[in-house]
Structure formats: structure tokens, C-alpha cells
Amino acid sequence: MNIATVIVDVPAKQTDREFDYRIPEKWTNIIQPGMRVIVPFGPRMVQGFVVGVKDHSEWNKLRNMKEPMDLEPVLNEELLQLADWMTREAMCFKITALQAMLPAAMKAKYEKVLNIIEEKKDRLSPIVLAAMGHRSSITWKEVIEGEHGALFQKEVQQGHLELVYYVKNKLNKKTIKVIRPLHTGEKLAEIALTFTGNAKKQREVLQYFCAHPEPISLKELLEVTHTSNGTVKALVKKQLLAEENQEVYRNPYENRIFERSEPLSLTNEQALALHPIQENIRNKEHEVFLLYGVTGSGKTEVYLQAIASVIEKGEEAIMLVPEISLTPQTVKRFKERFGEQVAVMHSGLSIGEKYDEWRKIHRKEVKVVVGARSAIFAPFEHLGLIIIDEEHEASYKQEETPRYHARDVAIERAKSHRCPVILGSATPTLESFARAQKGVYKLLTMSRRMNESALPAVEIIDMREELRNGNRSMFSEMLLTKLTDRLEKREQTVLMLNKRGHSSFVMCRSCGYVIHCPNCDISLTYHRFNDIMKCHYCGHEEGMPNVCPECESEHIRFFGTGTQKVEEELAKILPEARVIRMDVDTTSKKGSHERLLNAFGEGKADILLGTQMIAKGLDFPNITLVGVLSADTMLHLPDFRSSEKTFQLLTQVSGRAGRHNLPGEVVIQTYTPEHYSIELAALQHYDSFYEREMLIRRQSHYPPYFYLVLITVSHEDVMKTVATTEKITHYLRMHLSPHSIIFGPVASPLSRINNRYRYQCLIKYKREPQLHHHLHTILEHYQQESIQHHLTISIDLNPQIMM
Ligand code: ADP
Ligand code: ZN
Ligand code: ZN
């Protein structure tokens, strides 16, 4: 087995295949599939993933691979296969799929060392110890250049040594000084006797180690022996003790103590939902469950107990939560139940922290990972369950290559592991609910809230009416009355401002002129903080004009409402109210999200004001009022899912009120009160919404009745863009079945970004067995032009964003 098949890290059409390399003698028997290697490629050295080893190659002249980058596979057999699947399904290069499965720390060129795992030190072979010069670590370079690769590998496989990446960022690298005796206790006791007189302190330290031969952190040692650093240094110099830097896991939750929580006794509904899942886990069967439970029905407890069954069987579980609701509160519920067995992965962690969490999974130190989208690639080998909470969230789809949907990856992995998937939501996507109706997924319903109270009463306020009655404020009379009432009762309110869509744009009140980005087809967003206007697509910034560029009127000002503006308004009308504001500006610092929520949870504010980010996952007993300031901003987006998204958001945010003993109320302000997604969200009638929306989807040939592919072409030259899109559209019309519907070429809703024009072609189809083939043909055809003339063609299968 001296030939390795390798996927090289050169993401291009021509190199998107396996290359054979000869394994040099020194590394035969070491190289395994799933390891990364350095190989020559043309004149360069590049990284690559070994996907197979074999005896023969059909190629005559093979080059030698240079050296391994790992001594253990970083991707297991199942993940390698998953990469094949993803390459097909997301239409990406295989190398892109492989890279997506590893934490960022391992992608970049970080320094690498092999560390001794302290407890296993005694088991190390003397040759390896000697090769390490009796230090506790050795650099990767030394391992590669030395002669004992195979021995090192064995130690790694047996868990005596560990390969660690040092992210070269002072903040991330966290080590502590550890002191270790270099002799046995008896020997030290003997030596200690020779220390007399003024070496008394040194003797005490040695005596400490006679009784406690384990390594101890320098800090602790100084404390327990009441000595100084100098004393310890002297003993190190005499080669009686050794001082070493030991890496500590950067534990983002280290200062937190989690009290253990016990499983709650389930309600009837919960038990009925849990039972079939547990049965599946027991029998190692694969099935997808759609857990459709209203907000506050206790879905999380069902997840927790399902996971407990998995752990009991010695298997592992992945729990996906949308980034936005991966709040400390959520993490806490899992840590309280499963303690140290939980790894957490989300974008708030530093590169180093994420890598540490990944390593805990790889080393099999944890049984559960709670994380956002990419945690779906957690390198578990005995998966017993995958849960996707809030399955309707758009963030489960990655919007850059590889454009995978975590739900599809979950189902694919669960099939290989023969384990169940739970998709949970109070507002499932139409796609998922339709599948449950057809019996593709198994539907589990929980229709009652834990506290048996009805869902909160919802009032819809017509803001046009308010205006007609002379109320020009952003608060309707009803909302203001209820806000005042809550302040008096010392209960809490959540105020949500729906920022998606166009807000805070600058408009001339005289002529209606709106200031646009000079590079993109989008209005600039006003930032009050530094009084500038900014483009959210290309980053263009400019100052506020004094007069309208069109008509020179002075009545030019920003329009729409930002959270800051609401905050100011609140300060005017309810000066005694304590407000916490949560938006991108106040939560950009690490940990600020948690701090603000904690403060609110501890009752340090009366009103939590924020964007969509507050709509989910909050569970505070004292919230009895939810106000939505502008329910309809999202309705007008050019996206066939805009009603569905509006319905979901309003339902979610309404669910924040009255989750415990106090009853809740919701006030929804809107300019389109008659819209069915607003009316039905107010009634919390998911089923009616589903039926209504399904009718529309059927009439207009949208999912779940049809599948979609969105092809977007972009180029600096508008003619070139149109012509290319035209050709693609034509090609598809010629080759796809007459049952498919092909739209285009048409300008994208965002028709220009960063001076590049964008046109699109939309395919709606039910069955197109040759579709992937045709799409590949298109990509191949334009490959050359893409590189030379910066023509971009992006193909999004099952797009979530239609812009
Ligand atoms: P969901 O995720 O469906 O919105 P949660 O899981 O957050 O609902 O549950 C709502 C509240 O009910 C939580 O405070 C939770 O601790 C509580 N709860 C859930 N299940 C039970 C149970 N079986 N007995 C008592 N309280 C429960
Ligand atoms: Zn004007
Ligand atoms: Zn721009």
C-alpha cells in the first residue's frame, strides 16, 4: 500500500479529481485515508486530503508525496463519504467540501506540535521520549525530519501524544507553567536530606514532591509550599524539577458553574413525542421526526431526554441551534444536564476556542455538541441522534460555497449512522410540514404550552389609522398604554423592531429622492452613531448631504426607524423606563450579548428593545408584553418566502410573552393589517397559514411543489452579463424537460453589487434527472472566462435567498 490518492487543495475544475502519489518508504504504513498531506503540485507544494491508499496506480510516473500533516485521520470514513455526497449535492469542488468539515484553525498555517498527554507519560516508549529530548513536546518539523514517524504515530493512536495547533495569536494561546519532579519520591527524599541550613526552603519543596509526585501548576505550588519563584527556579537549575508550559483548554464557560439538572417528569404530550424517538434510538433505525410544538410547549426537555437515551447507549448526539438563539441560556440548559460531556460550537468563539471544542469531540471526550450550522460536521463516530431546533431558520443554509443545508447534511449523516433526526419548530417550513403530511417525515405534535395557559392574546394595530387620528409617534396608543401599565406593575416588555428590509434610508421629503450607493443597487443605510451613510453590500461610506442632490431642498433626512431612534423616543415618552438595547451595534463585542441578556433576566431593565435577534430563545418569566413596532417591513421583499418569514417571526416573538405563570399579551403594529400572514400569526394558526400559503405556492409553482435552482451571473459589463445569462437560459430551455419552468434572463432584485451587474435565471422543476449534468456543463463551459474575465456564475440549489 504505497500509493495515496489525494484531493489537492487547488479549487478548480481541472484539479477536482483524485491524484495518485507514491508514499515514500519512511511514511508507508503511516498514511491513511482522512489524513492531510503535503504534495508537490506543478512547481508548488500544496496541501491535500488522502482519500484512499492502494498498491497499484494506472499512472506510470508518480511523484512522491512530501510529508504528512497529521498522524491520525482528521476525517473519518463516514465524513469522507459525506464529502462525496456534498460535492454532488452542493455542486462544489471536493476540496471545498472537505475543508468545510474542519475548524478554521486547521485550515490556516498554524504552528503545530506534538504534546505528551501528561497522565500517559509513563506509557511512552523510551525511544520516543529520547527523540523528544525528554521534553513534554516536540515540534511537527522535528517529527517530520526525524526517523521515528511510525513510532510517533503509534503513540498518537494510543492516546499518549496529541497533535495540537497553536493559533499564533497571543490572546488565543493559553498556557500555564507546570512544575514536575524529575526523580522518584524516594530519590527526592534522599536528596532533600542533603539540603540543610539556608537551603531549607528548597528542601520543603522537594519534600512536597516526595508526598505528591504529580505535576502541579507553579502558582499552586508556590501557594501550598509558601515559597518563592526563585526557590523553585533553583531546583529546576539543579535538574531536580522541570518547568514546562502546559496548554490549557480555552474554556469559554470556565468561570461558570453549572448546577446539575435532573430530567423533568414529562407531560403526556411530551411523553408521546419522546416515545417513538427513543424507540428509534433503541432499534438503531433511521427516521426523520418533525416535532411541531407551539412555543413554550417544552420541546427542549424532549431533546434533553432523547439525548440522555443516546448517551446511555454509549452513543453521541449533535444538537443544532440557530446562531442567533445559541444564547448562554440555551447552552446552560445542556451543560446543566450533561455537564462536561457537552462541547459548544458557535461563531462567538475565537478560532482557538472553536478548535479546542472540536478536539474534545475528536478525542472522544464529549458526547454532545451544541452548535450552529457547521457543528453538523462534528467528527463523532457513533452518532445516535441529530436534532435541529428551529428548523425553519434560514441560517441553516450556508450562503457561500459549499452551499449546503444543515438539514440535508443531517439526514445524510443519520442515514449512514442509522439514527433518527429530530426537526423541531413551532413554525416548520412549508417544505418540512408538507413532507410530514405525506409521511416522509414522522409528525409529532405538541399543541399545549407547559403552563397550560393559552397562547398570549394578540392585538393588531393599524398604524395608518393611528396616523389618521393624529398620532405621529412610532408607538400606537394601545402599545403606549400597555407599556405604561407594565412599568407600574414592574413586569417586563420585549420590543422588537423588524430591521430586515429597508430601514434607515435617507430620503428627501420634498421630492422623494432616496440616496443610493454609487456601486450597488441599494439605498444607503444611515448610521447615527457617526452620522454617515453606509452601503451594507460593498462597504461604501459617505457623509450626510445638507441639501438634496436632486432638488436642493433642505428637507433631506433619514427615514425609517433604527433601534437607536426608538430608544431616544422611549426616553422622551417614558423617561422612567430602564431600557436595554440589543442590535448589531450593542452586541458586536464578545460576551456583550450574554451580558445584556443576563442584565435583563436579573430585572435590571423594564424593556428589552432589539432587532430580530431578540425574537428567539428568550425564556424569562417576567415578560408579559411583547410589542412589534413594524410587522410588515419584511413582507415587501422580493422573495416568495416573505409571507412565511413574516409569519414565523411574528409567531416566534409572540411566544416570548407569558411563558410561565403570568399571562402574556402581544401588540403588533402594522401598515398592512389585512395581510393573511399577520392576521394568522396573531391568531397563532399555523395550520391555516400552512393551507393558505400552500395554495399560493401551488399556483405559482414554488416549493414545496417545485424545486428551485437559482443561477446568478455577474460581471462589470452589463451587456456581457445579460448576454451570458441569455445563453445559459437558452441552453437550459433546449435541454431540460418541457415540464420545467425557466425564468430569465432577468435582473436580480439586487441588480448591482460593487459595480458588478447581476442577472439571474430561475429554474423550477419537479423531475430533472440530468439537471446536475447540465449545470456542470454550464460551469465547465464558462470556467476559462470566469478566471480570465472575472465572470462569476453562481449556482444555488434550493436557494433560501432570492436576491
Ligand atoms: P419550547 O422549546 O417548546 O419553546 P421550552 O422547552 O423552552 O419550550 O419549555 C418551556 C418551559 O417549560 C421551560 O421553562 C421549561 O423548563 C419548562 N418545562 C418543559 N418541560 C417541562 C416539564 N415536563 N415539567 C415542568 N416544566 C417543564
Ligand atoms: Zn429632493
Ligand atoms: Zn455598495
Side-chain angles (χ1 to χ4, degrees), residues 508 510-513 548 550-553:
C508 169
S510 305
C511 75
Y513 179 79
C548 169
E550 195 72 9
C551 74
E552 303 198 337
S553 151

Side-chain angles (χ1 to χ4, degrees), residues 58-76:
E58 54 199 271
W59 306 88
N60 294 330
K61 279 206 208 138
L62 291 189
R63 297 178 76 176
N64 277 359
M65 61 155 264
K66 185 162 173 277
E67 64 197 33
M69 291 179 67
D70 304 299
L71 288 178
E72 266 185 316
V74 289
L75 294 177
N76 60 39

Side-chain angles (χ1 to χ4, degrees), residues 517-522 524 535-540 753-754:
C517 172
N519 312 319
C520 310
D521 187 34
I522 186 179
L524 293 176
C535 170
H536 279 189
Y537 283 86
C538 74
H540 169 85
I753 295 181
N754 215 356

Side-chain angles (χ1 to χ4, degrees), residues 337-357:
R337 194 65 59 87
F338 305 117
E340 295 289 302
Q341 302 185 86
V342 181
V344 179
M345 283 183 143
H346 63 88
S347 67
L349 303 182
S350 69
I351 286 185
E353 285 167 344
K354 269 187 223 159
Y355 168 57
D356 287 348
E357 297 294 300

Side-chain angles (χ1 to χ4, degrees), residues 287-288 432-443:
E287 182 145 32
V288 182
S432 293
F433 204 74
R435 278 185 198 135
Q437 299 269 298
K438 279 170 75 178
V440 182
Y441 297 166
K442 191 167 164 51
L443 185 63

